[in-house]
Amino acid sequence: MTPVGLDTLVSDMVSVSQNATVARSPGIAVATGTLLLLVCLLLVAWSHTDKNTVPGPSFFMGVGPLLTYSRFIWTGIGTASNYYNEKYGDLVRVWINGEETLIISRASAVHHVLKHGHYISRFGSKMGLSCVGMNERGIIFNNNVTLWRKIRTYFTKALTGPGLQQTVDVCVSSTQAHLDALRGANTEITASDSLGHVDVLSLLRSTVVDISNRLFLGVPLNEKELLPKIKKYFDTWQSVLIKPDFYFKFDWIHQRHNTAAQELQDAIEILVDQKRKDMEQADKLDNINFTAELIFAQNHGELSAENVRQCVLEMVIAAPDTLSISLFFMLLLLKENPDVELQLLQEMDTVIGDRQIQNGELQKLQVMESFINECLRFHPVVDFTMRRAMSDDIIDGYRVPKGTNIILNTGRMHRTEFFCKPNEFSLKNFEKNAPRRYFQAFGSGPRACVGKHIAMVMMKSILVTLLYQYSVCLHEGLTLDCLPQTNNLTQQPVEAEHLTVRFLPRKRGSW
């Protein structure tokens, strides 16, 4: 990727001089060629000192691409992206698997990429994506744009409109059922009815998997059996996403990843088959949910069985390792900011009272919405998005050739522009509406997260149901800053025993 202007001129001049050197007659003086070469070298040096030159590691005979790629492989995509933006600025050129890659944390450039249709493709290893069933299947990393557009319509229908209306009731019911089950199974209930040693991440994951099943699948499933398979699938996805092709030549490695991915694929296929049988045996289909729509599409030859399975799989895994971890981070931030917790409780008391929350009341929970937005800004689970240029373009004055990889480092962008306290957790950052170009928690444009509205509904409903009944008591020393984390495809806590918490019962008005 080169700046528009002088570099183009220099490359043309160098090209011309090389052709002239090949074609020149023996009579042309050597001095003339030498002078021309010196002029070209001076122009090249001048162009590379121009303020518009893209910063980044030096190529240096291929060493630069090797080192940058190694950093992405060993530290993770998110960690490496933050490193290069920190070192070189908000627009950096690196290489991933030999391909030029642009890391962007500048709001204007991020907004440009998100809003234009020639960036709706993502990048990643085809062999890696095939390993986890995502190559030209599903919606998350499907780079067959025509097929992706068709599949997106099924997700959009399920995640918006009428399907969104029942989400509050389902979320409240599921969260309450899991809290009740926790009380029934907990052997450390004290006289004050507190719950000790609660594995809060498992609780949240089980809850959101159950919600996803109720909304989009609708068959009996065993959450305890499914969750470890989801975890292994997600770990495999992170491991293979940008690996080189030769990595998959080692049969034992390839087989290990295939086995981990196949376990979840087989489990989802069983669930889809059960849904198909239920539909065939039903006298009347009153509730046509997401999976039923996909099965009808398969029956009409519009989707393959493999694509139906992958779509259901992606719908089921979307919440456990994004939304549930977002909720976990929110609970940590809430305990670090007791004044914010008090504001939330007072707002819930005013808006909801002693009733179960209703769909129309969600919009009135403005403090809750600011809290969620600030959590997603301050410590997001997904803090970057990956794209690929489908045609030549110019971003903030830089020429971006077709095929260039793009990493939009929105997590870093949220810490550098617009917000009044960018490096602090503060609800003041959302006292006024943040323009879309500066706050991209769910992305925007043609490939924005299609589930952004339902995700907000789910987070609000789960938090209200949990916080109204319990205060979360963390182990001493457990804070977001002290929490061991990894940042590859998403920011994840390193899970250990110290992540268990206590739930202390609340009484309305006692706060």
Side-chain angles (χ1 to χ4, degrees):
M1 189 198 72
T2 56
V4 177
L6 188 56
D7 273 355
T8 304
L9 176 62
V10 170
S11 64
D12 290 342
M13 290 183 66
V14 171
S15 176
V16 169
S17 72
Q18 290 173 341
N19 292 337
T21 302
V22 173
R24 72 188 178 189
S25 65
I28 296 178
V30 174
T32 304
T34 303
L35 181 60
L36 182 60
L37 180 60
L38 286 172
V39 171
C40 290
L41 289 173
L42 286 171
L43 286 171
V44 169
W46 181 32
S47 71
H48 283 279
T49 58
D50 185 81
K51 65 180 181 179
N52 287 328
T53 301
V54 183
S58 170
F59 182 83
F60 192 64
M61 299 169 50
V63 175
L66 180 62
L67 291 178
T68 59
Y69 186 37
S70 298
R71 181 174 289 275
F72 276 90
I73 291 293
W74 292 110
T75 68
I77 301 172
T79 301
S81 297
N82 286 328
Y83 169 82
Y84 286 115
N85 275 143
E86 178 72 26
K87 185 169 184 177
Y88 294 102
D90 57 10
L91 210 154
V92 186
R93 184 264 301 115
V94 295
W95 296 268
I96 293 180
N97 199 13
E99 298 176 342
E100 236 181 46
T101 302
L102 202 60
I103 309 172
I104 301 173
S105 61
R106 184 185 303 171
S108 59
V110 169
H111 181 67
H112 174 92
V113 171
L114 290 175
K115 74 178 182 179
H116 283 97
H118 46 267
Y119 291 103
I120 58 175
S121 180
R122 297 184 187 271
F123 74 90
S125 162
K126 283 190 176 181
M127 295 187 72
L129 292 173
S130 296
C131 178
V132 294
M134 290 185 173
N135 188 40
E136 298 199 358
R137 294 178 190 162
I139 191 175
I140 300 176
F141 267 84
N142 190 339
N143 289 321
N144 181 329
V145 175
T146 302
L147 184 56
W148 169 79
R149 291 185 193 278
K150 178 191 290 187
I151 289 172
R152 186 178 170 86
T153 61
Y154 295 101
F155 280 85
T156 302
K157 183 177 180 180
L159 296 168
T160 58
L164 193 59
Q165 302 303 313
Q166 60 177 325
T167 303
V168 174
D169 290 340
V170 171
C171 289
V172 171
S173 172
S174 178
T175 305
Q176 189 61 58
H178 283 81
L179 288 174
D180 292 344
L182 192 64
R183 282 184 53 80
N186 199 292
T187 58
E188 297 187 30
I189 298 179
T190 66
S192 60
D193 291 331
S194 67
L195 302 178
H197 294 287
V198 176
D199 184 347
V200 67
L201 262 178
S202 292
L203 171 67
L204 293 170
R205 284 172 172 152
S206 296
T207 301
V208 296
V209 164
D210 180 48
I211 292 169
S212 297
N213 178 40
R214 294 192 197 189
L215 291 173
F216 311 121
L217 186 52
V219 297
L221 61 78
N222 188 320
E223 297 159 12
K224 290 185 178 180
E225 289 184 3
L226 193 63
L227 282 171
K229 295 174 182 178
I230 292 175
K231 182 72 167 59
K232 288 171 66 175
Y233 180 92
F234 191 84
D235 289 344
T236 299
W237 177 17
Q238 291 194 117
S239 296
V240 303
L241 183 57
I242 59 170
K243 287 292 195 297
D245 288 349
F246 74 81
Y247 177 82
F248 300 95
K249 302 297 182 183
F250 300 98
D251 288 341
W252 64 276
I253 293 179
H254 196 194
Q255 187 60 40
R256 175 166 59 89
H257 290 316
N258 272 342
T259 300
Q262 195 65 49
E263 283 185 12
L264 182 61
Q265 291 168 342
D266 290 344
I268 295 297
E269 189 162 359
I270 291 171
L271 296 176
V272 173
D273 285 343
Q274 181 61 53
K275 181 65 176 180
R276 185 178 285 108
K277 291 176 183 176
D278 291 347
M279 291 170 62
E280 291 171 352
Q281 295 171 3
D283 295 328
K284 183 180 179 182
L285 295 175
D286 295 321
N287 181 24
I288 308 298
N289 61 19
F290 174 72
T291 305
E293 293 275 11
L294 294 176
I295 291 171
F296 284 140
Q298 180 190 344
N299 293 342
H300 289 88
E302 297 175 8
L303 292 175
S304 67
E306 293 79 12
N307 229 325
V308 170
R309 179 190 66 191
Q310 187 62 28
C311 288
V312 175
L313 183 151
E314 291 181 11
M315 186 69 96
V316 170
I317 70 168
D321 275 294
T322 52
L323 192 143
S324 58
I325 295 177
S326 292
L327 288 167
F328 173 70
F329 288 155
M330 288 174 194
L331 293 177
L332 292 186
L333 286 167
L334 204 60
K335 303 315 294 184
E336 293 177 28
N337 298 273
D339 57 321
V340 174
E341 183 173 20
L342 180 59
Q343 290 181 59
L344 286 181
L345 293 170
Q346 290 173 339
E347 180 182 65
M348 288 160 49
D349 194 36
T350 301
V351 174
I352 304 168
D354 56 3
R355 307 182 311 277
Q356 177 178 305
I357 187 171
Q358 303 298 313
N359 192 56
E361 295 170 330
L362 291 180
Q363 296 293 329
K364 300 176 183 178
L365 296 175
Q366 292 300 305
V367 177
M368 176 72 78
E369 182 145 340
S370 295
F371 167 71
I372 291 174
N373 283 335
E374 177 62 357
C375 290
L376 296 178
R377 182 202 70 84
F378 184 76
H379 197 81
V381 172
V382 181
D383 62 347
F384 67 90
T385 187
M386 301 163 67
R387 299 294 172 87
R388 172 169 280 157
M390 299 172 64
S391 61
D392 293 345
D393 192 23
I394 296 173
I395 300 177
D396 280 12
Y398 297 107
R399 176 170 294 169
V400 180
K402 177 182 178 180
T404 301
N405 297 333
I406 309 285
I407 296 175
L408 302 176
N409 193 352
T410 53
R412 180 174 174 80
M413 182 190 79
H414 292 156
R415 295 284 192 110
T416 56
E417 298 189 48
F418 178 76
F419 297 98
C420 61
K421 296 186 175 183
N423 292 311
E424 297 180 31
F425 179 86
S426 173
L427 298 193
K428 290 183 179 179
N429 286 317
F430 285 91
E431 281 184 341
K432 58 180 180 179
N433 289 332
R436 183 180 298 175
R437 67 166 53 228
Y438 295 113
F439 183 55
Q440 298 284 0
F442 296 100
S444 59
R447 196 151 188 167
C449 175
V450 71
K452 58 186 176 182
H453 298 300
I454 200 170
M456 287 296 290
V457 171
M458 290 174 69
M459 287 186 285
K460 285 182 178 181
S461 302
I462 293 171
L463 285 173
V464 167
T465 307
L466 174 59
L467 295 176
Y468 226 149
Q469 299 176 67
Y470 293 102
S471 172
V472 179
C473 185
L474 308 177
H475 285 288
E476 185 176 352
L478 178 56
T479 64
L480 204 56
D481 288 339
C482 297
L483 180 69
Q485 298 176 62
T486 61
N487 189 4
N488 189 3
L489 193 55
T490 61
Q491 293 199 84
Q492 301 257 343
V494 177
E495 297 180 41
E497 289 184 5
H498 70 278
L499 295 187
T500 59
V501 302
R502 290 179 64 204
F503 282 179
L504 304 179
R506 294 188 197 271
K507 291 183 179 179
R508 185 188 169 199
S510 62
W511 43 77

